[in-house]
């Protein structure tokens, strides 16, 4: 799980294009989906790599389109 700083919270985590942070967020998202009864296969069938989606979103947080 990604540690949340007391000063920046989630916003400070998302202000990076660090692949380790993206990996931690992707792992947590998949665990949360499983807890809510969503099969991980459904997610990967829909978006492919959750890690890639999160990393691209973090890299393009200015609203630009991914490559």
């Amino acid at each position: 799980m990604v540690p949340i700083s007391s000063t920046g919270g989630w916003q400070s985590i998302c202000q990076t294009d660090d692949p380790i942070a993206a990996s931690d967020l992707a792992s947590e998202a998949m665990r949360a989906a499983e807890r809510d009864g969503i099969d991980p296969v459904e997610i990967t069938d829909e978006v492919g790599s959750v890690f890639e989606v999160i990393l691209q979103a973090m890299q393009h947080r200015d609203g630009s389109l991914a490559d």
Side-chain angles (χ1 to χ4, degrees):
M1 178 177 237
V2 177
I4 300 174
S5 70
S6 60
T7 57
W10 283 106
Q11 189 172 18
S12 66
I13 293 168
C14 293
Q15 296 292 327
T16 181
D17 57 1
D18 178 15
I20 294 171
S23 177
D24 289 345
L25 289 169
S27 294
E28 181 58 28
M30 295 301 280
R31 282 192 297 272
E34 284 187 274
R35 281 192 305 268
D36 287 342
I38 300 170
D39 187 346
V41 173
E42 289 183 56
I43 296 169
T44 56
D45 284 350
E46 188 68 30
V47 298
S49 169
V50 173
F51 166 78
E52 286 294 328
V53 170
I54 291 174
L55 185 61
Q56 286 182 9
M58 292 169 76
Q59 291 172 337
H60 300 281
R61 63 186 167 273
D62 62 352
S64 63
L65 296 175
D67 299 331

